[in-house]
Amino acid sequence: MTLTLGETEVPGAGGDRTVVGANLSLPLFRTLSGVLAGHPYLKVVVDRVESTWHLLDTRVHPFHVNYIATRVLGMTLDELDADLDAFNASVYMSPERRFLLGVLSLHAEEEADGSESPFLVLETTEADTMGGALLEEFYLYVRGRVDGRLPLLLKPANHGQEQELASIAEARVPRILSHALLGNRTRTCLSPGEAEGRLRHFRTMAEYEAAAPRLGWADIVAMPRLPDDVPRVAGFINTSPTTPLSHTNVLASGWGIPNAIVRDLDALVRRDGLDGAWVRYRVREDSITLEPLSAAPDLKKPAWHQQRIRIETPLLEEAPVLALHRLRRTDRDSYGTKAANLGELHHVLDSRTADLTVFYARPRPPRRDLLGHLATRLGEQGGAPEGLRAAAARCVAETVRAPEGVALPFRLHHLFLTSSPALQQGIGKLKMALELEAFDIVDPLCLSLQHLVRTTPMPDEVARAITAGVPGLPAGHRMVVRSSSNAEDLPGFSAAGIYDSVTTVRGVEQLMDAVRQVWASLLSPRSVRLRHQVGISLDDTYMGVIVQEYVPASLGGVLVTCNPTRREDFRNVYLNCTPGSPERVVDGTILPQQYLYNTVEGGGRTLDVGSSGTDLPPEARTALARLALTGRLLQSHFSADDPDDALDIEWLMTDEGAFRLVQIRPYAR
């Protein structure tokens, strides 16, 4: 396709190639564009008063508003920064706005004969509240000035714009939804980073299992879906679509290793002979590369070999089985972090005394804070701090509930272990093997100990404490039994997916078996190795247990109060969900529906409709937006050491539409 360059006006100097009033051709687009998420893109500004548009040189003008303020309106940057939020509102939210701001990105569709046909996509920023009439005007203006041989599609930037466009015929405004466009990406960042290592490419689970015992810290493991028991290595590559919130991808984030979806890896491996080769693997939000190295690099052991995670001394003295609502965060040394956090959640919801505005009160230069945005989100005008704190507490208490259940203390685990000489002898052998780094016998010792834990009779004192402390046993209610170790949910050591949960428990016998299974998971070969690598002693590690009533869920999932692929993004919360239990999201067996919700200016986007193939209805997405805001507010309390530290929250929606949070922990970063 040959495209001609339209007439241009270049007002800037010093290499600024910004163009005003010209028709857009493909060569001009490529001259001005940058690259974002692997696609060339170009910022555009339509001036409705002057009936013209500006094509910004992305190298010189990274922000629309800076360009408008300084180049069009004659303001200084200091003047803009002094009232940035009001200026943003005038260009992104006012129905009477002078300027229409957007981005044009270049994509290609593969034809039947293997050739590629280019097309352009027009979209606004994610927080833009353009109504249907403005979206139509924006599209038609741009369509009239882009070479007619280039197809142009409008991509709604948020759920609100999707609804606004519903009444406009697609023949007049052709469109593409975010998840349809993103779903065609060949490469997607999951966790940014860089590593040099040996690429190990496995096309099947059988291939992986045959090689797994020989995998080491210098390997980069690539396969369709990485298993939960993958060892700590230099990098991950998923060759099939996945979510950043599966257990293995959360671990990659916590370990600080590069992780991405590379759907064309088979072709790269064949072309460059990469399987088993030494490579430099770089993952960025806008680019993912595998560069062959001419020789094996001089690698030093990674920093995590020197990493040491400190855990508090477990309290093993008299501690009763307690209802979760009676626990506080300070009880973690007796019941584990997971149980203590759920108890703290009960307190936050019941007392409504916690200050949940801290995240929004932090300076976000050039903004003094985000409290005005929070007031808008909560519908709390007036700005008094007391009123805003009360509104935040009310919002959280009205949106979510904490799970009912009980926590079994470390003391019961200790009593169980000391009741069996065989267990004590086996643990002594395992400790010696770890001290001597005799790793060839560590795994067999762990497996033997796990079997012994699962089959050792429960001491009478322990059994009486459990049966007396767990309500509903005589009625045969279904229960869920979860781990609550002192070696999980820690900053720098999340242990996501390492310990067991049992979700189908009824009656006393099954409960005792489930408790022993959770205790046994503390001695799995993988959990023992991972703790040993970061200096967590077997002597200091104990398992508390949470026993909760099973609650049927119409929807379940996970949210993290950040954008996992772009950590500097303080606006968005990333949320995954699927019908039923949240375990289906984190175990990676299905692809969940995936959303980003803006907790500053508002609005949400669908990133992927997952295995279901369909998006949730608008009312469900609206409810999830409120859940995302609730997660952000809870971050202020549960990340008190640094309110910017993200949370990882598992949740479910009951058949009645109520949200319950079943886990709150730090999100590794």
Side-chain angles (χ1 to χ4, degrees):
M1 178 184 293
T2 303
L3 298 174
T4 58
L5 188 67
E7 293 182 5
T8 65
E9 173 191 347
V10 183
D16 183 354
R17 293 167 290 187
T18 294
V19 174
V20 180
N23 290 335
L24 181 63
S25 61
L26 194 55
L28 178 57
F29 178 94
R30 286 175 169 152
T31 298
L32 298 173
S33 64
V35 177
L36 182 64
H39 295 284
Y41 79 103
L42 172 65
K43 286 182 167 62
V44 301
V45 175
V46 172
D47 187 337
R48 302 170 73 202
V49 171
E50 299 294 334
S51 297
T52 191
W53 73 333
H54 303 244
L55 309 176
L56 309 191
D57 184 343
T58 56
R59 301 163 187 81
V60 181
H61 303 293
F63 302 108
H64 288 94
V65 292
N66 286 16
Y67 175 83
I68 294 170
T70 59
R71 292 297 187 91
V72 180
L73 301 180
M75 298 170 61
T76 66
L77 285 178
D78 287 341
E79 289 172 333
L80 172 64
D81 289 347
D83 206 8
L84 181 60
D85 286 332
F87 190 89
N88 281 341
S90 73
V91 295
Y92 292 123
M93 299 173 188
S94 171
E96 307 301 326
R97 66 188 77 177
R98 172 179 172 179
F99 302 103
L100 306 179
L101 316 183
V103 171
L104 280 166
S105 54
L106 181 64
H107 303 261
E109 183 175 26
E110 187 173 346
E111 301 292 349
D113 61 1
S115 62
E116 290 189 339
S117 296
F119 66 96
L120 289 172
V121 172
L122 175 67
E123 64 181 304
T124 71
T125 65
E126 64 184 46
D128 200 302
T129 61
M130 268 192 210
L134 280 180
L135 287 167
E136 181 178 7
E137 177 186 338
F138 191 27
Y139 173 83
L140 294 176
Y141 187 97
V142 175
R143 173 69 282 176
R145 287 154 182 80
V146 170
D147 189 296
R149 290 166 290 179
L150 272 176
L152 176 66
L153 303 176
L154 179 67
K155 180 165 80 70
N158 50 54
H159 294 146
Q161 288 188 4
E162 287 182 29
Q163 291 178 274
E164 288 288 333
L165 284 169
S167 60
I168 300 173
E170 289 203 37
R172 183 164 177 79
V173 181
R175 69 207 64 164
I176 187 169
L177 298 181
S178 294
H179 60 81
L181 190 64
L182 296 175
N184 292 327
R185 280 186 181 176
T186 302
R187 303 178 190 180
T188 303
C189 168
L190 295 174
S191 180
E194 181 175 334
E196 291 183 344
R198 184 172 43 233
L199 182 66
R200 306 297 302 277
H201 182 210
F202 307 110
R203 292 170 178 82
T204 66
M205 182 59 72
E207 288 182 8
Y208 167 81
E209 289 173 345
R214 298 183 298 279
L215 291 176
W217 58 265
D219 289 321
I220 296 168
V221 178
M223 57 190 301
R225 183 175 72 85
L226 288 102
D228 277 357
D229 64 355
V230 65
R232 197 162 186 173
V233 291
F236 289 167
I237 299 175
N238 299 267
T239 58
S240 294
T242 184
T243 166
L245 302 190
S246 72
H247 278 148
T248 53
N249 295 330
V250 170
L251 286 174
S253 177
W255 293 340
I257 63 176
N259 183 23
I261 302 169
V262 182
R263 297 166 75 171
D264 60 340
L265 185 67
D266 277 344
L268 294 177
V269 166
R270 286 194 302 269
R271 186 190 71 192
D272 298 330
L274 295 181
D275 192 14
W278 291 96
V279 299
R280 181 176 294 111
Y281 176 37
R282 289 193 180 99
V283 177
R284 301 286 184 268
E285 184 189 12
D286 58 355
S287 67
I288 296 157
T289 58
L290 279 165
E291 175 190 345
L293 300 176
S294 57
D298 182 17
L299 294 178
K300 297 179 181 178
K301 284 189 174 182
W304 56 262
H305 272 266
Q306 287 75 46
Q307 181 185 20
R308 289 297 177 263
I309 301 297
R310 180 177 176 272
I311 62 175
E312 301 294 334
T313 302
L315 302 180
L316 304 176
E317 65 267 16
E318 191 67 31
V321 176
L322 279 183
L324 289 174
H325 70 262
R326 295 181 60 188
L327 296 179
R328 294 294 302 273
R329 190 159 37 183
T330 50
D331 291 313
R332 61 183 176 272
D333 296 333
S334 295
Y335 297 88
T337 305
K338 190 180 297 181
N341 279 352
L342 291 178
E344 188 72 16
L345 175 63
H346 274 279
H347 171 73
V348 169
L349 299 181
D350 294 341
S351 71
R352 302 195 185 187
T353 57
D355 183 0
L356 304 181
T357 68
V358 177
F359 175 88
Y360 289 87
R362 299 199 80 176
R364 307 286 173 181
R367 302 168 181 84
R368 184 176 60 184
D369 55 54
L370 301 174
L371 291 173
H373 290 285
L374 178 59
T376 301
R377 301 278 71 75
L378 297 175
E380 179 68 20
Q381 302 307 319
E386 299 81 7
L388 197 53
R389 285 195 291 268
R394 185 168 59 251
C395 171
V396 170
E398 291 174 351
T399 303
V400 301
R401 293 176 59 187
E404 300 299 330
V406 300
L408 312 185
F410 299 153
R411 181 180 69 89
L412 297 185
H413 185 209
H414 176 68
L415 289 174
F416 173 80
L417 294 176
T418 55
S419 73
S420 167
L423 276 172
Q424 290 297 295
Q425 184 181 30
I427 290 172
K429 290 180 179 178
L430 178 58
K431 288 162 54 179
M432 181 65 70
L434 291 170
E435 288 173 8
L436 296 175
E437 297 191 348
F439 296 118
D440 56 327
I441 64 171
V442 165
D443 284 11
L445 284 172
C446 287
L447 294 173
S448 175
L449 276 168
Q450 283 193 283
H451 175 74
L452 194 56
V453 170
R454 287 192 288 261
T455 56
T456 296
M458 195 74 81
D460 289 342
E461 179 184 359
V462 176
R464 284 195 302 270
I466 295 174
T467 54
V470 177
L473 277 177
H477 294 162
R478 181 176 170 182
M479 294 169 286
V480 176
V481 178
R482 302 179 185 274
S483 67
S484 183
S485 170
N486 64 337
E488 63 179 318
D489 300 346
L490 304 172
F493 191 76
S494 74
I498 292 176
Y499 305 125
D500 285 355
S501 294
V502 187
T503 62
T504 56
V505 179
R506 295 183 188 272
V508 175
E509 186 175 344
Q510 289 186 12
L511 175 60
M512 297 303 172
D513 288 344
V515 170
R516 282 191 293 256
Q517 180 176 333
V518 172
W519 283 342
S521 67
L522 196 69
L523 293 166
S524 71
R526 183 169 183 248
S527 71
V528 168
R529 287 197 308 271
L530 291 176
R531 291 195 306 270
H532 181 73
Q533 287 170 352
V534 296
I536 297 177
S537 169
L538 197 61
D539 284 332
D540 295 332
T541 309
Y542 282 87
M543 180 67 78
V545 178
I546 300 169
V547 183
Q548 298 169 256
E549 179 185 357
Y550 171 78
V551 177
S554 60
L555 201 65
V558 181
L559 68 85
V560 293
T561 57
C562 67
N563 181 345
T565 64
R566 190 164 168 258
R567 293 304 183 84
E568 67 274 17
D569 175 6
F570 59 82
R571 290 175 163 82
N572 285 295
V573 162
Y574 189 80
L575 186 148
N576 286 189
C577 61
T578 188
S581 166
E583 278 80 9
R584 299 182 68 208
V585 170
V586 297
D587 66 14
T589 55
I590 60 113
L591 189 63
Q593 292 152 321
Q594 302 174 43
Y595 301 93
L596 271 180
Y597 285 101
N598 185 325
T599 59
V600 177
E601 290 90 359
R605 291 179 284 160
T606 303
L607 302 182
D608 201 310
V609 295
S611 302
S612 69
T614 58
D615 204 350
L616 290 172
E619 58 272 18
R621 297 190 313 225
T622 298
L624 292 180
R626 192 162 179 88
L627 177 65
L629 177 61
T630 295
R632 176 70 83 201
L633 294 171
L634 288 172
Q635 181 179 339
S636 290
H637 182 73
F638 284 91
S639 301
D641 291 340
D642 184 350
D644 278 348
D645 285 345
L647 298 180
D648 177 339
I649 299 175
E650 287 188 22
W651 57 271
L652 57 85
M653 178 191 283
T654 67
D655 293 337
E656 293 76 31
F659 288 110
R660 292 200 184 190
L661 307 189
V662 297
Q663 180 172 288
I664 298 180
R665 63 184 176 191
Y667 180 64
R669 54 184 305 160

